Amino acid sequence: MDSKVNLSQLTDLFSKDSSLGKGASSTFVKAFFDTIVEEVSAGGQVRIKGLGTFKQITISDRESVNVNTGERIVIPGHTKVSFTPDSELKELINKPFANFETVVLDAPESNAAIQSVPQVDEEPEPELRQLEPAMKQEESDEHLQSPADANDTVSDTVSVTIPVAEAVENTQNVSDIVPVIERKQSETSDSGNDYHKKKNRRSVGKIVSTVLGIILVLLVITYCIWPLNLLHLMRVEMESLEKSENNTEKLVVMPENNENDDINVIAEGSVVESFNSEIEETNEVQAVIATEPEKTADAAKVSTQSKDMKVSQSANVEDKPVTASLEQSGSFKLTSADEAKSLADITVSDTISYRMTGTLAVHTLSSGETLTKVALQYYGTKKLWPYIAAYNHISDVNKVYGGMKIKVPVLQNK
Amino acid sequence: MNHKEFLTTLSSRCGLSMEDTEKQVNHLLAVMEKSWSDNDSISISGFGVLEVRKKMERVSVNPGNGQRMLIPPKLTLNYKPSALLKDKIKKD
C-alpha cells in the first residue's frame, strides 16, 4: 500500500503463481522491460495489449520569456518517452472513481441562481439517493456553478461509495444532467459561486457584527461604568470616615443623605440617651445633658423622660446595639440629635464636635486602665478619649500610669 | 512494434513458446495491476516508474459554444522514464 515495488519484488510476486521457476521468471520479467527499453530507444514504439503504448515524442522549440530578465528566449525542443495506457487498463485503474461522470455546468447568470437552490428537473442520479435531498441539492448546485479548483484534493473528498449497478442503469447523457458529484461541502474552494455567496454573507455578517458590537458596548457601560459611580459615592463616605478618625479634636459632620432624613425625623421629641455608669466615683450623678441652645427646651422634657429610660430607649434605640443595654445613670448624655444617630452607622466622634466646659469627674486610673476605657465609662464610647487627653494636657497618652488622677471633662456640643 | 511482434521478441529472448509468453505476459500484467490497485508504484531501474496518480476534477470549456463542463476526478497510470532511458533518447 503506497509503496514501491522494484524489479526483484515484482519478480517474486510473478514467480509465486507462475509455472516458470524463479530463475526463468526473473529472466522473463527482465526481458519484458528490456525489450521495451530497446525498442523505444531505437525510435520505435511498443504496443502491449493490456498495458499501453510506449513511444518517443518530439517536442518542438517554443518561445518563452526569461523569468528574471524578461527577455524573450527560446526553449529548445527535445524528445521524450511517452506512455499511454490502454483503455481497458485505464478503466481498471480508475475503478474507484468509475461512477463519476462529467457534467455540464450552467452559466452563472445571476446571484440568485447561485444562492438559491434551483429546481432539479432531471431524475436524480443514484448517488443523490445516498444524501438527504436538501443537502444534495445544495451541494450539487454549488458544484454546478463552482469551477473546480485544480488544487483541491478531490479524490480525498470522494468518500461515499456508490453502487455501481444503479449508476450504470441510471446513467444519463452528459448534456442532460445536472450535478451529481458529491463532495464535502467544506472543501468547496473559492469558486465564483462561493465567492458570490461569501460576498453576500459578508454584508450580512457586517450588520450582525455591528449590532453585536453595540450590545457589547452597552453591557460594558452598565456593568463597568455604573458600578464605578457607586464606588465614587462609597469613596466619599469612606473619606468622611477616615477624616473623622484622623481628626481627633475637631470632628466634621458629614452624614449621609439617607440618614439625615431619619435623624431629622427622630430628633423631634427624641429621647436622650443615657449611659450606663458603673461609676460610683462620679460626683455628678445628675444628668448633664449637652444640648444645643435650640434644644434646651427639650432638656426639661428629656430629663423627665430620662427616668423612663427603658421605655423611651427601646422605642428609639432599637437599632443601636451599643446602647441597648444602657441605663440611665445621670452621667453624660448625648444630645438628642447625636443620640438619634445610630451608633452602629455613625460613631459619635465622626459626626460631632464638643466643647469642654467643665469637669465632669475626677477619675483615678487603675493599673492597666487606658483613656479609652475611661471614655467608655464616662461617655459610653471609646472614641472621645482625645478630649480627656486634651483636658488633662496629657502629651503622651501611652504614659499614663495607674493611680494617676485625671479629670473627665464635660463635653458640650458645639 | 505491435503486440504480436513484442511477444515474438520476448519468446525468443526467453526461449518460450508464443503461447507461453502470452500467458506469462498476461500473468505479469495481472501482477502489476494488482500492485496498482494497492496503490503501489512499480519502479524498474533502467526503465522507469509506473505509478497511479490522482487527477483533480476540473472545469473545462468548450471553446466553440462556451459550454462549461465539470470533469470528475480520476486515477491515471503514469509513466516516468528513468534517467538512463532519457539519456538514451537524448542522444538520438
Side-chain angles (χ1 to χ4, degrees):
Chain A
M1 195 70 182
D2 295 348
S3 59
K4 266 189 184 175
V5 173
N6 62 18
L7 182 61
S8 59
Q9 285 167 345
L10 184 64
T11 315
D12 288 342
L13 290 165
F14 175 78
S15 62
K16 266 186 203 173
D17 306 325
S18 174
S19 54
L20 303 175
K22 269 198 179 172
S25 50
S26 68
T27 323
F28 178 81
V29 174
K30 199 168 185 306
F32 182 91
F33 290 105
D34 285 346
T35 315
I36 299 171
V37 167
E38 284 166 13
E39 185 60 29
V40 172
S41 331
Q45 73 173 41
V46 182
R47 191 182 154 257
I48 303 170
K49 267 195 194 157
L51 184 62
T53 314
F54 294 89
K55 64 180 177 188
Q56 278 194 25
I57 282 180
T58 54
I59 293 168
S60 53
D61 301 353
R62 90 188 121 100
E63 285 181 6
S64 182
V65 181
N66 182 336
V67 248
N68 297 323
T69 63
E71 23 175 280
R72 296 176 71 91
I73 53 168
V74 173
I75 296 171
H78 57 280
T79 35
K80 66 174 186 182
V81 180
S82 91
F83 167 69
T84 40
D86 260 5
S87 52
E88 284 173 10
L89 186 60
K90 272 188 196 172
E91 280 175 21
L92 193 72
I93 297 280
N94 197 36
K95 214 172 167 192
F97 287 74
N99 287 308
F100 287 72
E101 297 213 2
T102 176
V103 156
V104 175
L105 300 177
D106 290 336
E109 290 161 352
S110 62
N111 284 348
I114 291 163
Q115 283 175 16
S116 63
V117 178
Q119 296 300 315
V120 179
D121 299 326
E122 286 80 356
E123 177 187 286
E125 284 285 299
E127 295 88 320
L128 282 176
R129 288 181 210 152
Q130 292 197 10
L131 303 171
E132 292 164 35
M135 220 171 84
K136 276 184 233 165
Q137 288 229 348
E138 276 182 37
E139 281 189 359
S140 61
D141 290 325
E142 277 191 41
H143 286 288
L144 257 191
Q145 285 118 16
S146 67
D149 233 2
N151 296 327
D152 272 354
T153 52
V154 174
S155 50
D156 293 330
T157 68
V158 177
S159 50
V160 182
T161 55
I162 300 144
V164 178
E166 284 184 354
V168 170
E169 286 170 12
N170 298 324
T171 303
Q172 295 189 2
N173 290 333
V174 170
S175 54
D176 292 341
I177 292 170
V178 176
V180 163
I181 296 166
E182 293 152 336
R183 208 202 232 177
K184 287 179 192 170
Q185 206 162 352
S186 59
E187 293 191 29
T188 311
S189 60
D190 7 314
S191 54
N193 175 28
D194 289 345
Y195 175 70
H196 288 297
K197 274 189 178 173
K198 282 175 188 170
K199 230 184 177 182
N200 286 320
R201 281 178 192 162
R202 269 180 218 151
S203 56
V204 171
K206 271 183 186 172
I207 294 164
V208 171
S209 57
T210 49
V211 168
L212 285 172
I214 290 164
I215 292 167
L216 253 177
V217 168
L218 289 172
L219 285 170
V220 164
I221 290 167
T222 49
Y223 290 113
C224 301
I225 296 169
W226 185 49
L228 291 177
N229 187 26
L230 294 176
L231 273 175
H232 178 65
L233 286 172
M234 276 174 60
R235 211 182 298 130
V236 168
E237 197 189 332
M238 288 303 296
E239 283 172 7
S240 70
L241 288 172
E242 281 177 20
K243 276 185 191 173
S244 61
E245 281 177 17
N246 292 336
N247 254 337
T248 54
E249 301 270 336
K250 200 174 183 183
L251 302 165
V252 182
V253 181
M254 267 183 24
E256 293 241 16
N257 291 340
N258 308 340
E259 309 213 14
N260 247 342
D261 296 331
D262 296 338
I263 290 161
N264 290 336
V265 169
I266 297 166
E268 300 165 16
S270 64
V271 176
V272 175
E273 253 181 34
S274 57
F275 294 92
N276 186 19
S277 66
E278 312 147 6
I279 314 151
E280 293 167 19
E281 298 157 346
T282 53
N283 297 329
E284 294 176 342
V285 179
Q286 287 307 309
V288 176
I289 301 157
T291 58
E292 297 190 38
E294 304 117 51
K295 294 186 181 174
T296 47
D298 292 333
K301 250 196 208 171
V302 171
S303 60
T304 53
Q305 285 176 351
S306 62
K307 287 173 187 176
D308 307 318
M309 62 122 199
K310 277 182 190 171
V311 176
S312 51
Q313 265 190 353
S314 60
N316 288 331
V317 184
E318 272 171 288
D319 57 338
K320 299 174 193 172
V322 177
T323 60
S325 59
L326 290 174
E327 297 169 18
Q328 179 185 5
S329 59
S331 57
F332 170 76
K333 290 172 191 167
L334 289 173
T335 58
S336 54
D338 301 333
E339 178 218 37
K341 290 168 194 163
S342 165
L343 283 183
D345 298 340
I346 310 167
T347 53
V348 169
S349 59
D350 292 341
T351 59
I352 301 151
S353 57
Y354 295 94
R355 283 178 300 151
M356 297 182 283
T357 53
T359 309
L360 179 63
V362 176
H363 180 79
T364 311
L365 289 171
S366 50
S367 162
E369 197 174 12
T370 68
L371 293 183
T372 55
K373 285 188 187 165
V374 176
L376 183 65
Q377 184 181 334
Y378 285 89
Y379 304 133
T381 171
K382 284 182 184 177
K383 292 219 173 192
L384 294 173
W385 67 263
Y387 286 110
I388 300 170
Y391 196 64
N392 290 278
H393 305 290
I394 299 170
S395 52
D396 190 352
V397 292
N398 293 319
K399 291 194 175 154
V400 295
Y401 50 89
M404 183 177 181
K405 285 192 179 173
I406 52 170
K407 297 180 237 178
V408 183
V410 173
L411 296 181
Q412 230 176 8
N413 234 346
K414 281 189 181 172
Chain B
M1 183 195 264
N2 65 12
H3 186 71
K4 264 192 187 168
E5 290 168 18
F6 178 71
L7 288 175
T8 318
T9 323
L10 248 188
S11 66
S12 62
R13 280 178 83 141
C14 299
L16 295 168
S17 66
M18 280 288 275
E19 287 171 3
D20 282 344
T21 54
E22 195 176 345
K23 256 176 36 182
Q24 297 307 325
V25 163
N26 291 339
H27 181 238
L28 180 61
L29 289 175
V31 167
M32 293 203 283
E33 278 158 24
K34 183 161 187 314
S35 73
W36 288 324
S37 66
D38 290 340
N39 206 24
D40 292 335
S41 64
I42 296 171
S43 170
I44 311 289
S45 67
F47 173 69
V49 177
L50 284 160
E51 63 178 343
V52 178
R53 295 200 113 174
K54 296 167 204 165
K55 293 230 162 133
M56 312 299 180
E57 69 176 9
R58 58 191 168 88
V59 172
S60 77
V61 183
N62 182 336
N65 51 22
Q67 195 179 53
R68 279 152 52 94
M69 291 173 61
L70 186 68
I71 294 166
K74 58 174 170 256
L75 294 172
T76 316
L77 192 63
N78 176 266
Y79 168 68
K80 194 174 170 190
S82 79
L84 281 168
L85 182 54
K86 281 200 266 191
D87 279 346
K88 282 185 192 170
I89 302 301
K90 254 188 188 175
K91 281 177 187 172
D92 293 347

